[in-house]
């Protein structure tokens, strides 16, 4: 099993990246938060999970071993594939997933696009005892971004997930008014999670 990759970042797209490892370009699929920490031309290390199907082998990359662990537990749930696992981690930090599973908070999982009440109930049922909160900070140790730099990164991540640029900018404007303490940190992963939660709630309201 390929548990991690270290090398030069060759490309970063909306939902994947290519890391050159000793001359081999390794494609990884990842959350917007993980991708936001990769810069083309820089050296990087990502933790990986290899998903093997009859007709494919796909690598999923993560910024931390904890994130990978939660992903692998999530994808052990019937009906939760790798894409849905990534979608959950795009909305919630690993610790938030642990807390939601431990407290049977189905509402937390329905904030993720594509997961309804029945699916959320199945998730908390199957995760019972498998994920225990560690007490880690909700931001998952992510380093704050530089003021003025985070906004285009968040907008690009949101548009890559299917939202329009107009919707992304409107959401960030509302987020700045409703939760200035989150925006002022400049923390890209945390701002992105908050924006996704807001946009998912808005989509259900419509």
């Amino acid at each position: 099993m390929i548990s991690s990759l270290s090398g030069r970042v060759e490309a970063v797209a909306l939902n994947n990246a290519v890391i050159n490892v000793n001359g081999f370009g390794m494609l990884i699929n990842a959350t917007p938060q993980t991708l936001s920490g990769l810069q083309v031309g820089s050296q990087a290390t990502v933790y990986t999970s290899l998903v093997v199907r009859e007709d494919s082998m796909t690598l999923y990359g993560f910024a931390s071993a904890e994130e990978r662990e939660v992903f692998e537990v999530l994808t052990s749930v019937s009906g939760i594939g790798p894409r849905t696992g990534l979608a959950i981690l795009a909305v919630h930090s690993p610790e938030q997933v642990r807390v939601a599973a431990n407290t049977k908070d189905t509402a937390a999982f329905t904030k993720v696009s594509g997961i309804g009440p029945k699916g959320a109930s199945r998730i908390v049922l199957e995760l019972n005892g498998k994920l225990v909160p560690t007490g880690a900070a909700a931001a998952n140790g992510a380093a704050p971004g530089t003021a003025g730099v985070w906004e285009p990164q968040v907008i690009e991540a949101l548009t890559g997930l299917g939202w329009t640029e107009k919707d992304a900018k409107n959401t960030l404007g509302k987020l700045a008014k409703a939760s200035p303490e989150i925006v002022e940190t400049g923390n890209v992963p945390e701002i992105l999670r908050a924006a996704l939660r807001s946009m998912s709630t808005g989509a259900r309201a419509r």
Side-chain angles (χ1 to χ4, degrees):
M1 178 180 177
I2 303 174
S3 61
S4 66
L5 295 176
S6 293
R8 180 178 179 274
V9 180
E10 288 192 338
V12 179
L14 298 174
N15 54 14
N16 57 54
V18 176
I19 298 179
N20 187 307
V21 182
N22 296 325
F24 291 92
M26 308 294 287
L27 177 71
I28 61 165
N29 294 281
T31 63
Q33 295 95 311
T34 296
L35 294 171
S36 70
L38 303 178
Q39 295 184 349
V40 175
S42 298
Q43 294 292 311
T45 296
V46 293
Y47 297 86
T48 58
S49 178
L50 178 63
V51 176
V52 180
R53 305 295 192 202
E54 290 184 0
D55 57 350
S56 66
M57 291 190 296
T58 307
L59 271 175
Y60 294 86
F62 308 92
S64 68
E66 183 196 7
E67 190 176 23
R68 178 185 62 191
E69 177 189 355
V70 171
F71 170 82
E72 291 180 341
V73 174
L74 284 171
T75 53
S76 71
V77 174
S78 60
I80 300 297
R83 289 185 179 180
T84 303
L86 284 186
I88 292 172
L89 287 169
V91 175
H92 300 297
S93 70
E95 184 67 8
Q96 288 170 334
V97 175
R98 290 178 181 275
V99 170
N102 191 62
T103 59
K104 298 180 174 58
D105 183 5
T106 57
F109 291 104
T110 58
K111 291 179 180 179
V112 180
S113 179
I115 298 180
K118 289 184 179 179
S121 296
R122 185 180 67 251
I123 291 173
V124 297
L125 179 64
E126 294 196 31
L127 290 181
N128 184 33
K130 295 182 179 180
L131 289 174
V132 179
T134 64
N140 196 30
T146 304
V149 174
W150 62 266
E151 186 170 4
Q153 294 178 347
V154 173
I155 290 174
E156 182 179 2
L158 290 172
T159 55
L161 291 171
W163 304 98
T164 66
E165 184 174 344
K166 180 181 178 180
D167 284 342
K169 289 182 177 179
N170 287 340
T171 296
L172 292 181
K174 293 177 181 178
L175 185 64
K177 294 180 180 179
S179 304
E181 70 281 0
I182 295 178
V183 174
E184 288 171 2
T185 66
N187 186 309
V188 172
E190 188 67 9
I191 294 171
L192 180 57
R193 279 193 288 268
L196 285 168
R197 285 194 293 269
S198 176
M199 297 176 92
S200 295
T201 300
R204 287 198 303 276
R206 292 195 295 270

